[in-house]
Amino acid sequence: MMKLFGARFLNLDALFKTAILLGFTIFFTQTIITGEALAYVSPKIFPFIKFSAAIMALMAVFSAVDIVRIPRKRPRMTTYTLFALSLALALLFPPAFLGGSDLKGRQVDLGLYRTENGATRASGNLELGRAAEQQRPTGPGEPPPALQGNKIVFTEENFYYSLYLLYREVEYYQGIEVEISGFVFKDASFAADEFVVSRFVMVCCTADMQLAGIMCHFPGSQGLEENTWVRVKGVLQQGTFRGETIPVIIPVEISPINMPDPPYVYPKF
Amino acid sequence: MGVALEIVAGFLGAGKTTVINQMLKSYLANGHKVLVIQGERGEKNIDQQAYQNTGRLVVKTAKVKDLDPLQLVRWLEEHKPDNLIIENNGMEELEPLLKKLEQRPLRKYCRLQRIISLVKAGTFNLYAANIGRLFGEPLSKADMVILTATEGLPAKDLRQIQKEILKFNGDAAFLLLPSAAKAEKQFPEESFSAGGKRGLFSTADPLVSFALLYAILLVFGFIVTLRVFDYARGELYLARAQIFITIFVSILLQAFPFIMIGVLVSAAIQVFVPQQFFSRLFSRNVVFSTAIAVMAGIFFPVCDCAIIPVMRRLVQKGVPLSAALTFMLAAPIVDPVVVASTAYAFPDKPFIALYRLSLGVFIAIIAGLIMRIIPYKGEILKGGAVFSACSCGYCSQADSTRADPHPFTARIKGMINHATAEFFQVGQFLVLAAVFSTYIQTSISPATVAFFAGSPVGALLTMMGFAFILSICSTSDAFIARNFIHQFPLTSILGFMVFGAFLDIKNLLLLSGNFAGRFVVHLVLLIVTVSFIVLSLSGKMLFF
């Protein structure tokens, strides 16, 4: 065995390269085809993944040719071990969907802004709200919220844009009916009747996901378990959180739902 | 299995004949039959007389350049040796010889055992500086490097030379041959058959890879065992491991495509762009070359991880360090997608995107100018600046096919091979960075360690620190920065987004994999200092 490694007999370097590149090509292709990729990255990364799967396949072919040639280099075992282990973990473990507390650094995004002198202010006013309404078709890539009469229905497609408008124009949307689904998120600092109906928003990949949602004031909050999925129908009011004016839902109906697949929303821009 | 082949490479007077004589002594004493292909007549001759009566030594003279593979096959069939030693003159690269050896039917007759590169100690610096490419190629491919005629040289110089060689080829065994007279003592039979003492790297490499495998098995072994005794906790750990792996894989899935783009561009520059192109482009005045560096960023709008292999290649191709630095810092900031995502993350403050863009470009220009005014004197690229050659082992393959009837296809092949080698070289640091980032994201809550949020300077420093450990990619930085708007003033949020695009864990690891250690420290200090000064001044001047 030592003789095989010692002599320039088998081109191990090319062999390892080929195997790893093929493995990653298979993983990349499979994750896109099965749709599991949505648990890892935003759909806007998909074309890049397809492109690099194609390149890796090409690289694998070129490396395979070298297996029968005289090795020019010794294989770097550490490098190939790092790649092989990553590949094995990716292939052996199906992706998991993250719950509200899996990313420790994330606070739910309630759209507050702090100015330079330390004071905070609530965002939005009526004029801006009207202006935003008129400009809707030129919004940031997502369809405008489905404002049906006096009601906003949050969908996967308009989730982030709808939030964006609600937080920006709190006053304007006051009194409007809202229908939104998400999981129950609670923080130690919340009052007993408070919970946030929230979703993870994925910009690029799982590691950079943010929690976003709307605060609900509901007397039965304590009966709702964290991370359970609910659909909330209610009326939008102005509320306060840590001294800020924020949109708040006064729920009329809360019904349990199954976790959507995928549970994340992917803003487009 | 074929004849055991050894190649002895080195310049005239490096001591090839001395070493070959020593090898012969060892092989012939063991009853082997040896064929030597001698390329040139040096000062010394192969000790033919001593073995004439045994009939077990055959010496042929043929320059490697003119060596006919079929002729070699005829010799091998005629003499049926056990060992074949080919002498390769230092003025020739090894690559053509290796190509010949791969041809049928010669390939079936001999099996390359090892390549021994000889360097005369006194000539090392002169050759390395003047004919780096030709000199470096046999060294980078060698299994054993012998430094000859070291007698009388100060120990300090020898260590320096050894360090240079190790940087270029950490795998090769390294031997010293003080003088021809001491050859006998220096090369006892055993040391040769054992292959000599290997470089530290080749000892550490399998150990590290074994430790990695062992650590992973240990973790999963622990969880599986725990699950047997305490099912609930075992399941909990397993779920956590799964979350960890999901985040880890998501970082790889997101970053590999961009690394791929980076290494492809880098390889394309290496293979297709002539050496003089960049030096001509950047030979004009400072305003012009700075402008080009910033503009290049706009035309190369990819994530920050793609930029480092490209920067390395640019520096290697003779782009001034100052311009390359400006390019590296500006590119992830001027990316239109990054600007758009910043505007979207801070909907009621569109000027934040503008500030991020202009401050980022400003810092990139200032850092580049400082690099120009106070040039860095030391070694820049990892692997030694002495050799301008690339040590990837593929360059010479691509270049020696220049006479190929289809140069373009040969170049494409060279480019792909190059990109592959670089993908593994760069990607391994990405894997390490992904593990570390995943750990940070899942276990450390930055909101709870915001000690210094009170004072503006403290807040800025804290946010720059967070940017370093939390940034994943410049596109999503803005959304991560949003997390901190409850605790931190806007200038420091801006600091997070600007600095995070310059430096984070991943970038630092990629930098240290591509550039010399001291240079990386110098670079990081420069970027941190300039960013901090510009950002803290901007906090006083910008209107929020």
Short mmCIF file of all heavy atoms in Angstrom, two decimals, chain A residues 8 17 56 69-70 72 74 76-79 81 94 96 104 106 109 112-114 116 140 164 206 208 210 269, chain B residues 95 102 112 141 143 171 198 205 209 242-243 246 250 260 344 347 392 394 397 428 441-442 476 482-483 485 487 491:
data_model
loop_
_atom_site.label_atom_id
_atom_site.label_comp_id
_atom_site.label_asym_id
_atom_site.label_seq_id
_atom_site.Cartn_x
_atom_site.Cartn_y
_atom_site.Cartn_z
N ARG A 8 4.95 7.27 -7.92
CA ARG A 8 4.01 8.05 -8.73
C ARG A 8 3.31 7.07 -9.65
O ARG A 8 3.46 7.09 -10.86
CB ARG A 8 4.77 9.09 -9.51
CG ARG A 8 5.39 10.10 -8.60
CD ARG A 8 5.95 11.23 -9.41
NE ARG A 8 6.42 12.26 -8.49
CZ ARG A 8 6.17 13.55 -8.66
NH1 ARG A 8 5.47 13.96 -9.67
NH2 ARG A 8 6.64 14.42 -7.81
N LYS A 17 -9.81 14.47 -6.75
CA LYS A 17 -10.48 15.63 -7.34
C LYS A 17 -11.72 15.20 -8.09
O LYS A 17 -12.80 15.77 -7.93
CB LYS A 17 -9.54 16.33 -8.32
CG LYS A 17 -8.72 17.41 -7.70
CD LYS A 17 -7.89 18.09 -8.77
CE LYS A 17 -6.91 19.03 -8.13
NZ LYS A 17 -5.78 19.33 -8.98
N MET A 56 -18.53 22.17 -12.45
CA MET A 56 -17.90 21.09 -11.68
C MET A 56 -17.89 19.78 -12.46
O MET A 56 -16.93 19.02 -12.39
CB MET A 56 -18.59 20.92 -10.34
CG MET A 56 -18.17 21.99 -9.35
SD MET A 56 -18.51 21.53 -7.67
CE MET A 56 -20.02 22.34 -7.41
N ARG A 69 -2.67 9.50 -15.91
CA ARG A 69 -1.39 10.15 -16.24
C ARG A 69 -0.47 10.18 -15.02
O ARG A 69 -0.89 9.92 -13.91
CB ARG A 69 -1.65 11.57 -16.76
CG ARG A 69 -2.48 11.57 -18.03
CD ARG A 69 -2.69 12.96 -18.53
NE ARG A 69 -1.42 13.62 -18.81
CZ ARG A 69 -1.31 14.93 -18.96
NH1 ARG A 69 -2.35 15.69 -18.86
NH2 ARG A 69 -0.13 15.46 -19.21
N ILE A 70 0.78 10.52 -15.30
CA ILE A 70 1.75 10.58 -14.21
C ILE A 70 1.38 11.75 -13.30
O ILE A 70 1.17 12.85 -13.77
CB ILE A 70 3.18 10.79 -14.76
CG1 ILE A 70 3.60 9.57 -15.57
CG2 ILE A 70 4.16 11.05 -13.64
CD1 ILE A 70 4.90 9.76 -16.31
N ARG A 72 1.51 14.94 -11.16
CA ARG A 72 2.44 16.07 -11.07
C ARG A 72 2.55 16.54 -9.62
O ARG A 72 3.48 17.23 -9.26
CB ARG A 72 1.91 17.23 -11.92
CG ARG A 72 2.48 17.34 -13.31
CD ARG A 72 2.29 16.11 -14.12
NE ARG A 72 2.60 16.31 -15.55
CZ ARG A 72 2.38 15.40 -16.46
NH1 ARG A 72 1.88 14.22 -16.14
NH2 ARG A 72 2.67 15.63 -17.72
N ARG A 74 1.54 15.73 -5.31
CA ARG A 74 1.07 14.84 -4.26
C ARG A 74 -0.30 15.33 -3.80
O ARG A 74 -0.52 16.53 -3.73
CB ARG A 74 2.02 14.98 -3.08
CG ARG A 74 2.67 13.76 -2.66
CD ARG A 74 3.89 14.11 -1.83
NE ARG A 74 4.98 13.30 -2.32
CZ ARG A 74 5.04 11.99 -2.14
NH1 ARG A 74 4.09 11.36 -1.49
NH2 ARG A 74 6.04 11.30 -2.60
N ARG A 76 -3.11 16.63 -1.40
CA ARG A 76 -3.19 17.26 -0.08
C ARG A 76 -4.33 16.61 0.67
O ARG A 76 -5.50 16.89 0.41
CB ARG A 76 -3.49 18.75 -0.25
CG ARG A 76 -2.35 19.54 -0.78
CD ARG A 76 -1.63 20.23 0.36
NE ARG A 76 -0.62 21.15 -0.13
CZ ARG A 76 0.60 20.78 -0.48
NH1 ARG A 76 0.95 19.51 -0.45
NH2 ARG A 76 1.47 21.68 -0.87
N MET A 77 -4.00 15.72 1.58
CA MET A 77 -5.02 14.94 2.26
C MET A 77 -5.99 15.82 3.05
O MET A 77 -7.18 15.59 3.07
CB MET A 77 -4.39 13.89 3.18
CG MET A 77 -3.56 12.84 2.46
SD MET A 77 -4.42 12.12 1.05
CE MET A 77 -5.65 11.16 1.92
N THR A 78 -5.45 16.85 3.71
CA THR A 78 -6.32 17.72 4.53
C THR A 78 -7.38 18.38 3.67
O THR A 78 -8.56 18.39 4.01
CB THR A 78 -5.47 18.79 5.24
OG1 THR A 78 -4.39 18.14 5.89
CG2 THR A 78 -6.29 19.53 6.25
N THR A 79 -6.94 18.92 2.53
CA THR A 79 -7.89 19.58 1.63
C THR A 79 -9.00 18.63 1.22
O THR A 79 -10.19 18.96 1.34
CB THR A 79 -7.15 20.06 0.37
OG1 THR A 79 -6.06 20.86 0.76
CG2 THR A 79 -8.07 20.84 -0.54
N THR A 81 -9.95 15.85 2.56
CA THR A 81 -10.76 15.40 3.69
C THR A 81 -11.83 16.44 4.01
O THR A 81 -12.99 16.09 4.25
CB THR A 81 -9.88 15.15 4.93
OG1 THR A 81 -8.81 14.31 4.56
CG2 THR A 81 -10.67 14.49 6.04
N PRO A 94 -30.57 15.13 5.50
CA PRO A 94 -31.53 15.98 4.80
C PRO A 94 -31.60 17.32 5.51
O PRO A 94 -31.36 17.40 6.72
CB PRO A 94 -32.85 15.21 4.92
CG PRO A 94 -32.67 14.33 6.11
CD PRO A 94 -31.21 14.01 6.19
N ALA A 96 -32.84 20.54 7.51
CA ALA A 96 -33.89 20.77 8.50
C ALA A 96 -34.40 22.19 8.34
O ALA A 96 -33.66 23.07 7.91
CB ALA A 96 -33.30 20.59 9.89
N LYS A 104 -29.53 32.21 17.18
CA LYS A 104 -29.55 32.89 18.47
C LYS A 104 -29.54 34.41 18.39
O LYS A 104 -30.10 35.10 19.22
CB LYS A 104 -28.36 32.44 19.32
CG LYS A 104 -28.44 30.98 19.74
CD LYS A 104 -29.45 30.79 20.84
CE LYS A 104 -29.42 29.37 21.38
NZ LYS A 104 -29.82 28.38 20.36
N ARG A 106 -30.97 36.43 16.41
CA ARG A 106 -32.04 37.12 15.71
C ARG A 106 -33.13 37.60 16.66
O ARG A 106 -33.70 36.84 17.41
CB ARG A 106 -32.68 36.17 14.69
CG ARG A 106 -31.71 35.59 13.72
CD ARG A 106 -31.16 36.68 12.82
NE ARG A 106 -30.35 36.10 11.75
CZ ARG A 106 -29.05 35.97 11.83
NH1 ARG A 106 -28.38 36.39 12.87
NH2 ARG A 106 -28.37 35.41 10.83
N ASP A 109 -37.97 41.36 13.78
CA ASP A 109 -37.80 42.67 13.20
C ASP A 109 -39.12 43.43 13.28
O ASP A 109 -40.06 43.15 12.56
CB ASP A 109 -37.40 42.47 11.73
CG ASP A 109 -36.91 43.75 11.10
OD1 ASP A 109 -37.14 44.81 11.71
OD2 ASP A 109 -36.31 43.68 10.04
N LEU A 112 -38.20 49.12 13.89
CA LEU A 112 -37.89 50.34 14.65
C LEU A 112 -36.58 50.95 14.15
O LEU A 112 -35.68 50.24 13.72
CB LEU A 112 -37.74 50.01 16.13
CG LEU A 112 -38.92 49.27 16.74
CD1 LEU A 112 -38.63 48.99 18.19
CD2 LEU A 112 -40.18 50.11 16.61
N TYR A 113 -36.50 52.23 14.24
CA TYR A 113 -35.28 52.90 13.83
C TYR A 113 -34.79 53.79 14.94
O TYR A 113 -35.57 54.47 15.59
CB TYR A 113 -35.51 53.73 12.56
CG TYR A 113 -35.92 52.85 11.43
CD1 TYR A 113 -37.26 52.63 11.16
CD2 TYR A 113 -34.96 52.20 10.68
CE1 TYR A 113 -37.63 51.79 10.14
CE2 TYR A 113 -35.33 51.36 9.66
CZ TYR A 113 -36.66 51.16 9.39
OH TYR A 113 -37.02 50.33 8.40
N ARG A 114 -33.51 53.78 15.12
CA ARG A 114 -32.95 54.63 16.14
C ARG A 114 -32.12 55.69 15.45
O ARG A 114 -31.31 55.37 14.57
CB ARG A 114 -32.06 53.80 17.06
CG ARG A 114 -31.38 54.60 18.11
CD ARG A 114 -30.70 53.67 19.08
NE ARG A 114 -29.59 54.36 19.71
CZ ARG A 114 -28.98 53.90 20.78
NH1 ARG A 114 -29.35 52.77 21.32
NH2 ARG A 114 -27.99 54.57 21.30
N GLU A 116 -29.42 59.06 15.31
CA GLU A 116 -28.06 59.24 15.81
C GLU A 116 -28.00 59.70 17.27
O GLU A 116 -27.16 59.25 18.04
CB GLU A 116 -27.32 60.25 14.91
CG GLU A 116 -25.86 60.37 15.19
CD GLU A 116 -25.11 59.08 14.88
OE1 GLU A 116 -25.74 58.03 14.67
OE2 GLU A 116 -23.89 59.13 14.85
N PRO A 140 -40.35 47.22 -5.05
CA PRO A 140 -39.09 46.47 -5.18
C PRO A 140 -39.28 45.00 -5.60
O PRO A 140 -38.92 44.09 -4.87
CB PRO A 140 -38.50 46.58 -3.79
CG PRO A 140 -39.64 46.90 -2.89
CD PRO A 140 -40.76 47.46 -3.70
N TYR A 164 -43.28 45.69 4.70
CA TYR A 164 -42.53 46.91 4.43
C TYR A 164 -43.48 48.12 4.38
O TYR A 164 -43.24 49.15 5.02
CB TYR A 164 -41.77 46.67 3.14
CG TYR A 164 -41.24 47.84 2.35
CD1 TYR A 164 -40.11 48.53 2.77
CD2 TYR A 164 -41.85 48.22 1.16
CE1 TYR A 164 -39.61 49.58 2.01
CE2 TYR A 164 -41.35 49.26 0.40
CZ TYR A 164 -40.24 49.94 0.83
OH TYR A 164 -39.74 50.95 0.08
N THR A 206 -29.56 30.16 4.49
CA THR A 206 -30.09 29.92 5.82
C THR A 206 -29.37 30.71 6.90
O THR A 206 -29.97 31.13 7.88
CB THR A 206 -29.99 28.42 6.15
OG1 THR A 206 -30.36 27.69 4.99
CG2 THR A 206 -30.91 28.04 7.28
N ASP A 208 -28.23 33.65 6.87
CA ASP A 208 -28.51 35.09 7.00
C ASP A 208 -30.01 35.38 7.16
O ASP A 208 -30.46 36.48 6.94
CB ASP A 208 -27.91 35.89 5.84
CG ASP A 208 -28.54 35.52 4.51
OD1 ASP A 208 -29.75 35.26 4.47
OD2 ASP A 208 -27.81 35.50 3.50
N GLN A 210 -33.65 36.28 8.54
CA GLN A 210 -34.14 37.23 9.54
C GLN A 210 -35.56 36.86 9.92
O GLN A 210 -36.32 36.35 9.10
CB GLN A 210 -34.16 38.64 8.95
CG GLN A 210 -32.86 39.09 8.36
CD GLN A 210 -31.77 39.12 9.39
OE1 GLN A 210 -31.97 39.60 10.50
NE2 GLN A 210 -30.60 38.59 9.05
N PHE A 269 -35.51 41.15 -5.16
CA PHE A 269 -35.12 42.49 -5.60
C PHE A 269 -33.98 42.39 -6.58
O PHE A 269 -33.36 41.36 -6.71
CB PHE A 269 -34.72 43.41 -4.44
CG PHE A 269 -33.84 42.77 -3.41
CD1 PHE A 269 -32.50 42.57 -3.65
CD2 PHE A 269 -34.38 42.36 -2.21
CE1 PHE A 269 -31.70 41.98 -2.70
CE2 PHE A 269 -33.57 41.76 -1.26
CZ PHE A 269 -32.24 41.56 -1.51
N GLU B 95 8.20 18.96 -17.68
CA GLU B 95 6.91 18.64 -18.29
C GLU B 95 7.02 17.88 -19.62
O GLU B 95 6.34 16.86 -19.80
CB GLU B 95 6.10 19.93 -18.45
CG GLU B 95 4.66 19.76 -18.77
CD GLU B 95 3.88 18.87 -17.80
OE1 GLU B 95 4.14 18.98 -16.60
OE2 GLU B 95 3.05 18.07 -18.25
N GLU B 102 4.42 9.42 -20.74
CA GLU B 102 3.02 9.01 -20.71
C GLU B 102 2.58 8.36 -22.02
O GLU B 102 1.49 7.80 -22.10
CB GLU B 102 2.12 10.23 -20.44
CG GLU B 102 2.05 10.58 -18.98
CD GLU B 102 1.45 11.95 -18.76
OE1 GLU B 102 1.25 12.70 -19.74
OE2 GLU B 102 1.18 12.27 -17.60
N LEU B 112 7.22 5.75 -12.95
CA LEU B 112 7.98 6.82 -12.30
C LEU B 112 7.96 6.64 -10.79
O LEU B 112 6.89 6.62 -10.16
CB LEU B 112 7.39 8.18 -12.68
CG LEU B 112 8.10 9.39 -12.09
CD1 LEU B 112 9.55 9.43 -12.53
CD2 LEU B 112 7.40 10.67 -12.46
N LYS B 141 7.79 19.94 -8.65
CA LYS B 141 7.33 18.58 -8.95
C LYS B 141 8.14 17.53 -8.19
O LYS B 141 7.82 16.34 -8.26
CB LYS B 141 7.43 18.32 -10.45
CG LYS B 141 6.43 19.14 -11.26
CD LYS B 141 6.34 18.66 -12.68
CE LYS B 141 5.13 19.24 -13.37
NZ LYS B 141 5.44 20.36 -14.25
N ASP B 143 10.03 14.98 -5.59
CA ASP B 143 9.74 14.23 -4.37
C ASP B 143 10.86 14.43 -3.37
O ASP B 143 10.70 14.20 -2.19
CB ASP B 143 9.65 12.74 -4.68
CG ASP B 143 8.54 12.44 -5.64
OD1 ASP B 143 7.40 12.36 -5.19
OD2 ASP B 143 8.82 12.31 -6.85
N ASP B 171 6.02 19.18 0.32
CA ASP B 171 5.91 17.73 0.36
C ASP B 171 7.23 17.02 0.23
O ASP B 171 7.39 15.90 0.70
CB ASP B 171 5.01 17.25 -0.79
CG ASP B 171 3.58 17.67 -0.59
OD1 ASP B 171 3.14 17.65 0.57
OD2 ASP B 171 2.92 18.03 -1.57
N ARG B 198 11.02 13.43 5.12
CA ARG B 198 10.08 14.28 4.39
C ARG B 198 9.92 15.64 5.06
O ARG B 198 10.21 15.80 6.24
CB ARG B 198 8.72 13.61 4.31
CG ARG B 198 8.76 12.33 3.53
CD ARG B 198 7.54 12.20 2.65
NE ARG B 198 7.89 11.45 1.46
CZ ARG B 198 8.18 12.00 0.30
NH1 ARG B 198 8.14 13.30 0.16
NH2 ARG B 198 8.49 11.27 -0.73
N ASP B 205 0.26 16.75 7.16
CA ASP B 205 -0.94 16.66 6.31
C ASP B 205 -1.81 15.44 6.59
O ASP B 205 -2.99 15.58 6.91
CB ASP B 205 -0.49 16.73 4.84
CG ASP B 205 -1.67 16.72 3.89
OD1 ASP B 205 -2.64 17.45 4.17
OD2 ASP B 205 -1.62 15.99 2.90
N SER B 209 -5.61 15.37 8.53
CA SER B 209 -6.79 14.83 7.87
C SER B 209 -7.36 13.67 8.68
O SER B 209 -8.58 13.51 8.79
CB SER B 209 -6.46 14.42 6.44
OG SER B 209 -6.05 13.10 6.36
N GLN B 242 -28.38 18.43 13.02
CA GLN B 242 -29.00 18.57 11.70
C GLN B 242 -29.15 20.05 11.33
O GLN B 242 -28.90 20.44 10.18
CB GLN B 242 -30.35 17.88 11.68
CG GLN B 242 -30.80 17.54 10.27
CD GLN B 242 -32.21 16.98 10.22
OE1 GLN B 242 -32.82 16.74 11.27
NE2 GLN B 242 -32.71 16.79 9.03
N ILE B 243 -29.55 20.87 12.31
CA ILE B 243 -29.66 22.31 12.08
C ILE B 243 -28.29 22.87 11.71
O ILE B 243 -28.14 23.64 10.76
CB ILE B 243 -30.19 23.03 13.35
CG1 ILE B 243 -31.60 22.58 13.66
CG2 ILE B 243 -30.08 24.54 13.21
CD1 ILE B 243 -32.69 23.31 12.94
N THR B 246 -27.38 21.88 8.26
CA THR B 246 -28.18 22.61 7.27
C THR B 246 -27.58 24.00 7.03
O THR B 246 -27.40 24.41 5.87
CB THR B 246 -29.63 22.76 7.75
OG1 THR B 246 -30.17 21.47 7.99
CG2 THR B 246 -30.47 23.47 6.71
N SER B 250 -25.78 25.28 3.69
CA SER B 250 -26.37 26.43 2.99
C SER B 250 -25.30 27.47 2.67
O SER B 250 -25.34 28.09 1.61
CB SER B 250 -27.51 27.03 3.80
OG SER B 250 -27.05 28.04 4.65
N MET B 260 -16.52 29.67 -7.66
CA MET B 260 -16.33 29.09 -8.98
C MET B 260 -16.13 30.19 -10.01
O MET B 260 -15.22 30.11 -10.85
CB MET B 260 -17.57 28.25 -9.30
CG MET B 260 -17.38 27.26 -10.40
SD MET B 260 -16.13 26.09 -9.97
CE MET B 260 -17.10 24.92 -9.06
N TYR B 344 -33.41 48.34 0.12
CA TYR B 344 -34.59 47.59 0.49
C TYR B 344 -34.61 47.29 1.99
O TYR B 344 -35.67 47.25 2.63
CB TYR B 344 -34.62 46.30 -0.32
CG TYR B 344 -35.97 45.63 -0.39
CD1 TYR B 344 -37.14 46.32 -0.10
CD2 TYR B 344 -36.06 44.30 -0.77
CE1 TYR B 344 -38.37 45.70 -0.19
CE2 TYR B 344 -37.29 43.66 -0.86
CZ TYR B 344 -38.44 44.38 -0.55
OH TYR B 344 -39.64 43.76 -0.63
N PRO B 347 -35.87 50.86 4.18
CA PRO B 347 -36.80 51.52 3.26
C PRO B 347 -37.03 52.99 3.56
O PRO B 347 -37.20 53.77 2.63
CB PRO B 347 -38.09 50.72 3.44
CG PRO B 347 -37.94 49.99 4.72
CD PRO B 347 -36.49 49.75 4.90
N CYS B 392 0.99 25.70 -9.03
CA CYS B 392 -0.17 24.83 -9.06
C CYS B 392 0.09 23.52 -9.78
O CYS B 392 -0.66 22.58 -9.66
CB CYS B 392 -1.36 25.53 -9.71
SG CYS B 392 -1.25 25.63 -11.49
N TYR B 394 0.01 23.06 -12.93
CA TYR B 394 -0.70 22.97 -14.20
C TYR B 394 -0.24 24.01 -15.22
O TYR B 394 -0.42 23.83 -16.40
CB TYR B 394 -2.21 23.10 -13.99
CG TYR B 394 -2.74 21.92 -13.24
CD1 TYR B 394 -2.91 21.96 -11.87
CD2 TYR B 394 -3.02 20.74 -13.93
CE1 TYR B 394 -3.35 20.84 -11.19
CE2 TYR B 394 -3.46 19.63 -13.25
CZ TYR B 394 -3.63 19.68 -11.89
OH TYR B 394 -4.06 18.59 -11.22
N GLN B 397 1.99 22.76 -17.76
CA GLN B 397 1.29 21.85 -18.66
C GLN B 397 0.59 22.65 -19.75
O GLN B 397 0.62 22.29 -20.91
CB GLN B 397 0.24 21.06 -17.89
CG GLN B 397 0.69 19.68 -17.52
CD GLN B 397 -0.33 19.01 -16.64
OE1 GLN B 397 -0.51 19.41 -15.49
NE2 GLN B 397 -1.01 18.03 -17.16
N GLN B 428 -11.10 25.09 0.36
CA GLN B 428 -10.86 24.50 1.68
C GLN B 428 -10.97 25.56 2.79
O GLN B 428 -11.45 25.26 3.88
CB GLN B 428 -9.50 23.81 1.73
CG GLN B 428 -8.34 24.75 1.48
CD GLN B 428 -7.02 24.02 1.44
OE1 GLN B 428 -6.85 22.97 2.04
NE2 GLN B 428 -6.06 24.57 0.72
N GLN B 441 -23.36 31.81 14.25
CA GLN B 441 -24.78 32.12 14.00
C GLN B 441 -25.71 31.34 14.93
O GLN B 441 -26.77 31.82 15.29
CB GLN B 441 -25.16 31.80 12.56
CG GLN B 441 -24.35 32.51 11.50
CD GLN B 441 -24.71 33.97 11.33
OE1 GLN B 441 -25.61 34.47 11.97
NE2 GLN B 441 -23.97 34.67 10.49
N THR B 442 -25.32 30.12 15.30
CA THR B 442 -26.23 29.30 16.09
C THR B 442 -26.02 29.44 17.58
O THR B 442 -26.87 29.02 18.35
CB THR B 442 -26.10 27.81 15.74
OG1 THR B 442 -24.73 27.46 15.79
CG2 THR B 442 -26.67 27.51 14.37
N SER B 476 -26.36 40.18 1.73
CA SER B 476 -27.27 40.01 2.85
C SER B 476 -26.83 40.78 4.10
O SER B 476 -27.56 40.82 5.08
CB SER B 476 -27.42 38.53 3.18
OG SER B 476 -26.16 37.93 3.30
N ARG B 482 -29.68 45.23 10.01
CA ARG B 482 -30.99 45.67 10.51
C ARG B 482 -31.28 45.17 11.92
O ARG B 482 -31.97 45.82 12.70
CB ARG B 482 -32.07 45.12 9.59
CG ARG B 482 -32.63 46.09 8.61
CD ARG B 482 -33.87 45.48 8.01
NE ARG B 482 -34.98 45.64 8.93
CZ ARG B 482 -35.87 46.60 8.82
NH1 ARG B 482 -35.81 47.44 7.84
NH2 ARG B 482 -36.86 46.70 9.68
N ASN B 483 -30.77 43.97 12.22
CA ASN B 483 -30.96 43.38 13.55
C ASN B 483 -30.52 44.30 14.67
O ASN B 483 -30.94 44.15 15.79
CB ASN B 483 -30.11 42.12 13.68
CG ASN B 483 -30.90 40.91 13.31
OD1 ASN B 483 -31.96 40.68 13.86
ND2 ASN B 483 -30.39 40.15 12.38
N ILE B 485 -30.52 47.69 14.74
CA ILE B 485 -30.98 49.07 14.79
C ILE B 485 -31.62 49.41 16.11
O ILE B 485 -31.77 50.58 16.43
CB ILE B 485 -31.94 49.39 13.60
CG1 ILE B 485 -32.98 48.32 13.51
CG2 ILE B 485 -31.18 49.58 12.32
CD1 ILE B 485 -33.89 48.51 12.32
N GLN B 487 -30.28 48.61 19.04
CA GLN B 487 -29.25 48.88 20.04
C GLN B 487 -28.17 49.86 19.61
O GLN B 487 -27.47 50.40 20.45
CB GLN B 487 -28.55 47.57 20.44
CG GLN B 487 -29.42 46.61 21.18
CD GLN B 487 -29.85 45.48 20.28
OE1 GLN B 487 -29.22 45.22 19.27
NE2 GLN B 487 -30.94 44.83 20.63
N THR B 491 -24.55 55.36 12.48
CA THR B 491 -23.18 55.36 11.93
C THR B 491 -22.52 54.01 12.11
O THR B 491 -21.79 53.55 11.24
CB THR B 491 -22.26 56.39 12.61
OG1 THR B 491 -22.70 56.60 13.92
CG2 THR B 491 -22.22 57.67 11.83
#
